[in-house]
Amino acid sequence: MTNIPMEAGLLLAGILFTLGLISVLIRRNIIFMLISVEIMLNAAGLAFIVAATRWAQPDGQVMFIFILTMAAAEVSVGLALILQLHHQLKTLDSDAANKMFG
């Protein structure tokens, strides 16, 4: 099995995180924003895995499992909020949620 350099793994994690961040900032659809946050969390998990592989420590795998559980909780709460928002406003546009003040 060939070893992938640490720099390549961290570069991939950085690119994925940047794409997720740009997508969160640009998109207005709440579901796409939720998917972008998931991409960012997976990029952080990839960085932990790459770093743990470099130093041959199991800490990266433990942190990745923690990130996966946190992402599952985030998705369940986020989808519940999205369903409530869609039920009340009949749209998934994040700017429409601004009109809920008052």
Side-chain angles (χ1 to χ4, degrees):
M1 188 168 139
T2 61
N3 288 336
I4 299 173
M6 183 177 173
E7 294 81 16
L10 290 178
L11 180 66
L12 177 62
I15 290 170
L16 283 173
F17 191 86
T18 305
L19 287 174
L21 182 64
I22 289 171
S23 182
V24 164
L25 295 175
I26 291 176
R27 292 288 191 157
R28 292 292 127 216
N29 190 329
I30 299 175
I31 292 180
F32 283 118
M33 293 172 76
L34 191 65
I35 291 171
S36 301
V37 170
E38 289 295 321
I39 291 172
M40 292 168 58
L41 287 171
N42 284 328
L46 178 64
F48 276 116
I49 294 292
V50 168
T53 303
R54 167 70 171 88
W55 290 294
Q57 296 291 324
D59 298 342
Q61 285 86 0
V62 171
M63 286 303 296
F64 187 68
I65 290 172
F66 174 71
I67 288 173
L68 283 178
T69 56
M70 186 178 64
E74 177 251 341
V75 164
S76 64
V77 170
L79 285 177
L81 290 173
I82 288 171
L83 284 173
Q84 287 296 319
L85 187 68
H86 181 65
H87 179 70
Q88 288 186 359
L89 300 178
K90 305 293 187 241
T91 183
L92 292 177
D93 188 23
S94 63
D95 292 332
N98 257 351
K99 298 175 186 174
M100 292 181 69
F101 285 117

